[in-house]
């Protein structure tokens, strides 16, 4: 199972973005971003906002995992 918080951290690092930057983009406190980082799952609306801010489709990442999961259960 994908750890969505870790996926967000990795994408932020690739883009050189800071916690402060994402907090500003999402209009929230930095502490909220650290809370997101610790999550293994996330509300779809929040994930959409993060995807737009980072211009990265995290839903595609989840979809790939879904496809792998159903592919492995068919065997």
């Amino acid at each position: 199972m994908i750890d969505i918080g870790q996926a967000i951290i990795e994408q932020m690092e690739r883009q050189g973005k800071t916690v402060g930057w994402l907090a500003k983009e999402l209009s929230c406190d930095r502490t909220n971003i650290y809370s997101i980082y610790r999550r293994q799952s996330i509300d779809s609306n929040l994930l959409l906002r993060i995807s737009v801010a980072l211009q990265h489709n995290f839903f595609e990442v989840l979809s790939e995992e879904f496809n792998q999961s159903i592919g492995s259960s068919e065997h």
Side-chain angles (χ1 to χ4, degrees), residues 59-71:
F59 292 96
E60 187 174 289
V61 173
L62 294 173
S63 179
E64 288 171 7
E65 180 162 328
F66 169 75
N67 289 334
Q68 289 174 359
S69 293
I70 62 170

Side-chain angles (χ1 to χ4, degrees), residues 8-66:
I8 293 167
I9 290 170
E10 290 169 4
Q11 188 57 227
M12 297 245 330
E13 288 173 352
R14 279 194 283 278
Q15 293 187 23
K17 304 290 186 186
T18 65
V19 171
W21 177 86
L22 187 56
K24 183 178 177 182
E25 290 294 308
L26 299 180
S27 301
C28 68
D29 293 329
R30 292 167 48 103
T31 55
N32 292 27
I33 303 304
Y34 289 117
S35 172
I36 290 168
Y37 284 174
R38 290 188 301 270
R39 297 180 186 179
Q40 291 183 338
S41 63
I42 192 168
D43 175 79
S44 59
N45 189 37
L46 178 56
L47 187 60
L48 175 60
R49 293 174 57 213
I50 293 170
S51 293
V52 169
L54 290 172
Q55 297 181 356
H56 179 80
N57 187 351
F58 288 101
F59 292 96
E60 187 174 289
V61 173
L62 294 173
S63 179
E64 288 171 7
E65 180 162 328
F66 169 75

